[in-house]
Structures are given as C-alpha cells and as structure tokens.
DNA sequence: CTTGAAAGTTACACTAGTGTCAATTATTAT
DNA sequence: ATAATAATTGACACTAGTGTAACTTTCAAG
C-alpha cells in the first residue's frame, strides 16, 4: 500500500559496482550514484545512512553470490573438473579481486557497518575453507604440488585474472594460456 | 639568495607515494599532503598548479627510476642472472604495479599534464622494449616457453608480486616459492 | 473516494577540498 | 646593515559532497 520504487536493490548494486571500479572507494559518492540512477540523492538516505553502510552491504551481497558460485563448483567430482569450473566462473567476472581490496577500506562508522564487516569476515572464512577443500582435493589426487603454500596457489589463480590482455588475444585462448602457465609455469621442461 | 626550502622534491614524492597507496587517486588531496609535510597547502601551488600535474610528474619520476633499475638488470649476461636480478628488485618495492593503475586515471587537465602523460607513455614503451629483450633472451636460451605470449609472461611476474602473504611466510622463502611457481607451475610433473 | 504509509523531492546548513593573492619570513650578495 | 628575492603563509571566495527535515507524490486498502 505505497508508491512504486524507482530503483531496485539490484540496480543500485549494479551501478555501485560500476562506480566503485571506475572511481575507487574514495571517489564513490551518493551524488554520483543518485545521478546514475536518475533519482534524488536524498532518496538513497531512506535506505542507507551513509556510503559505508551501503558499500558494506553491497560487498556482503557480492561475496555471498561468490560463495554460492564457489559451492556449485565444489559439487564437481574430480579436481580437474573443479579446476576448470573455477576458471570458467572467475573469468566470467574479473572484477571480484579488485572489489575485495575496496571492501577492506570501509571504516566502521557505526554499529550496522561493524556488523556487516563481521559478516563479511565470516563469508571470507567460508570462502577460504571452500578453496582449502579444493586445494586439498588437488593434493590428494597428486595433481597439485605439496611444497607450495595454499595461499600462494589461491593467490596465483585470483591475481592472474587481472593480467591485462594487451595483445588482444581472443578470450578463450587467453584463459587457456593462463591456465597452462599456472599449471606448468613459463619455463620449458 | 633566498629562503631555504622546507621540503625537498624527494620528500614530496615519498609522501605522495604513501598517500596514493593509502587513499587511492581520488582520495589523494593537497590538504592531506600539506599536513603530512607540515607545510601550508598554498606552498604546494608554487610548484604545481593542481594534483594532476603533481601526480603525472611523480609517476614520471617513479617510472624513470624503474626504467633505470631495469636497465641495470639487463646488463647481466645470462637469462638466469637477469631473471633473479629482476625478482630481487621487483620485490624490493612491491607497490609499482599498483601505482601504474593509478597513473592511468590522471585526466589531462592542462597542457603540462598532457605532456607528462605523453612522456609516461614513452617510458612505458621503453620499459616494454627492455622487458621484451629479456623475454627474447630467455627464449633464445631455450629456457622460456615459445607458446606463451610475452605480455602474459610479463604480467605473471608483475601481478604475482601482489599476492598477499597471509601465512606470513618469511620474505626470502616467499619470493623463492613465487619464482618456483612462475617457472614450473602449481602442478606436479 | 479518502486516507495513510512508503517513496521520492526540495531546500538548508555544514564540511572539506580547491585555487588565488597579498602579506610575511628567511637567506644571502652586496 | 639592507635590498633583492625566493619560500611560505593566511585569508578569501568558490565548489562539491554530506546529512537532515519538512514537503509532495503515488497507490492501494478500506
């Protein structure tokens, strides 16, 4: 029994993502967001007290989605299948690793933000556990090396996503090459 | 025949680097910089018309230094020696790759900035050429794989620097492991 | 068809950063 | 000493973003 909303939460999150990647944490403003969504700035304050609150909630949403996708991946039976599935989905949205850095910058300006940050930490732990299982599987199948720290293996996978494809190699080729290098290195045998 | 300067260009660049890494491009302000250097904000305007000018000049300085270091590396005779020297120096200052991204964000607000950006592009070309020679040497010595694009090899080296060492593995070990993974991959043979 | 609740807007006071300029300070050659 | 000059400062007007409160609009339940 009220007026129809001019913007959905999803739309708001979508624009937020764009603006965050474009302007970074400090460059992201409600003024900018309101313009993009074609609403008045004050409307946003009906839902969020400040940008920290909005952003911590957005990060929570983004990470929750990510965790769900990751859980899908872990349904694959073999390590090899999980590995390829993981790449497929990481490369479908390459911005996540960058967004994580931004998430770390959010200061706890109030109780709600502090709570969200706590929830985010919890999700990150879950993410890490899930990835740990993935790595363990690879090791138990004697595919992954035992002498490389887990955090390094995970880091390699997530960082390489961000290597700029300056030579404009077709996406599928590019992904294949990156996988290859991660698995076998840049040296000849 | 004048008053002594309260801050050197080097000090200014040093603080600029800190602030840039801490606050990002949009969060970097003259107000912040002046406070850090313990001078008045207006003093900065005697040397730079605006932050774009300062930052483009700073980037130029940083990249020029980087290029010089890289040239030193390329004096090594064998690929292997160059490879280890390159790692040593990249890991001595892990922030460069991140700074490069920031450099790209500077808008050409006036002629001087546009000129600096042109110079920066030139240095980046030189950097790339120098790295290309390095890769070529590795290939001619049959150490580097022929089937991996140059930009991917270079990207791997520079991106992996940023993998967070969450397990707090001692620096030397960490660097050794990263090198190992880049060279031979995460898979068992 | 009216009323009240949710959605949205307009307006205001406030804060932080910008760019400029006249005034002040410190140094040194004479 | 002191004049010349470069370095620095304080003060001003301006812009962009923030957070709040009073208001208007929309819509559907009674």
């Amino acid at each position: 029994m009220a007026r129809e909303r001019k913007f959905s939460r999803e739309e708001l999150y979508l624009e937020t993502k764009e603006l965050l990647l474009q302007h970074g944490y400090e460059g992201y403003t409600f003024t900018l967001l309101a313009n993009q969504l074609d609403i008045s700035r004050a409307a946003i304050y009906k839902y969020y007290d400040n940008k920290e609150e909005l952003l911590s909630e957005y990060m929570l949403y983004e990470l929750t989605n990510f965790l769900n996708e990751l859980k899908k991946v872990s349904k694959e039976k073999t390590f090899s299948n999980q590995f390829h599935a993981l790449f497929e989905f990481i490369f479908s949205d390459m911005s996540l690793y960058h967004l994580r850095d931004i998430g770390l910058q959010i200061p706890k300006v109030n109780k709600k933000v502090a709570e969200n940050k706590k929830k985010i930490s919890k999700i990150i732990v879950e993410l890490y556990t899930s990835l740990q299982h993935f790595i363990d599987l690879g090791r138990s199948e004697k595919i992954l090396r035992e002498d490389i720290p887990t955090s390094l293996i995970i880091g390699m996978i997530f960082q390489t996503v961000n290597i700029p494809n300056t030579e404009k190699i077709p996406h599928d080729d590019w992904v294949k090459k990156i996988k290859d290098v991660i698995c076998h290195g840049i040296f000849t045998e």
Side-chain angles (χ1 to χ4, degrees), chain A:
Chain A
M1 43 165 157
R3 185 173 171 176
E4 205 184 354
R5 276 190 64 163
K6 280 180 76 179
F7 61 101
S8 70
R9 189 145 300 211
E10 302 290 321
E11 284 172 308
L12 184 145
Y13 286 160
L14 202 73
E15 283 304 336
T16 290
K17 180 177 194 168
E18 295 265 309
L19 292 174
L20 266 185
L21 292 173
Q22 226 174 100
H23 302 277
Y25 175 72
E26 312 251 5
Y28 176 93
T29 65
F30 274 11
T31 308
L32 226 49
L33 180 61
N35 287 343
Q36 285 296 320
L37 292 173
D38 213 24
I39 52 171
S40 74
R41 191 170 51 81
I44 303 172
Y45 284 93
K46 281 278 141 71
Y47 306 96
Y48 303 97
D49 282 354
N50 48 52
K51 89 170 178 180
E52 285 73 28
E53 214 168 291
L54 190 157
L55 289 182
S56 62
E57 208 170 291
Y58 161 68
M59 291 299 303
L60 197 54
Y61 158 87
E62 197 73 75
L63 283 170
T64 307
N65 281 351
F66 188 81
L67 183 59
N68 287 337
E69 287 298 317
L70 198 61
K71 280 178 177 162
K72 274 189 217 160
V73 167
S74 68
K75 289 220 178 80
E76 299 281 341
K77 288 287 181 305
T78 67
F79 173 76
S80 177
N81 286 347
Q82 287 197 11
F83 186 71
H84 294 299
L86 183 63
F87 267 82
E88 188 129 335
F89 123 73
I90 291 180
F91 275 86
S92 71
D93 178 5
M94 332 230 295
S95 53
L96 196 114
Y97 212 82
H98 188 214
L99 288 178
R100 196 210 54 165
D101 291 344
I102 292 172
L104 297 174
Q105 291 181 52
I106 304 171
K108 296 169 188 156
V109 291
N110 65 31
K111 210 176 162 182
K112 203 158 184 179
V113 174
E115 269 173 43
N116 282 340
K117 289 200 84 172
K118 205 168 275 179
K119 283 186 203 164
I120 288 172
S121 300
K122 247 178 82 185
I123 301 249
I124 287 179
V125 170
E126 279 194 74
L127 272 173
Y128 203 86
T129 309
S130 191
L131 287 167
Q132 185 68 256
H133 288 325
F134 164 72
I135 301 294
D136 288 346
L137 180 63
R139 291 215 172 103
S140 74
E141 288 188 22
K142 306 284 181 210
I143 295 175
L144 284 181
R145 293 170 61 177
E146 300 277 358
D147 62 335
I148 304 297
T150 305
S151 63
L152 179 49
I153 297 181
I154 296 173
M156 281 290 283
I157 294 173
F158 284 88
Q159 280 287 352
T160 47
V161 174
N162 298 315
I163 299 173
N165 180 356
T166 49
E167 297 176 47
K168 305 267 182 237
I169 291 162
H171 183 266
D172 288 355
D173 278 8
W174 181 249
V175 176
K176 211 182 286 177
K177 297 276 186 196
I178 289 190
K179 263 196 229 175
D180 194 342
V181 173
I182 290 180
C183 298
H184 306 108
I186 62 176
F187 277 19
T188 53
E189 301 308 324

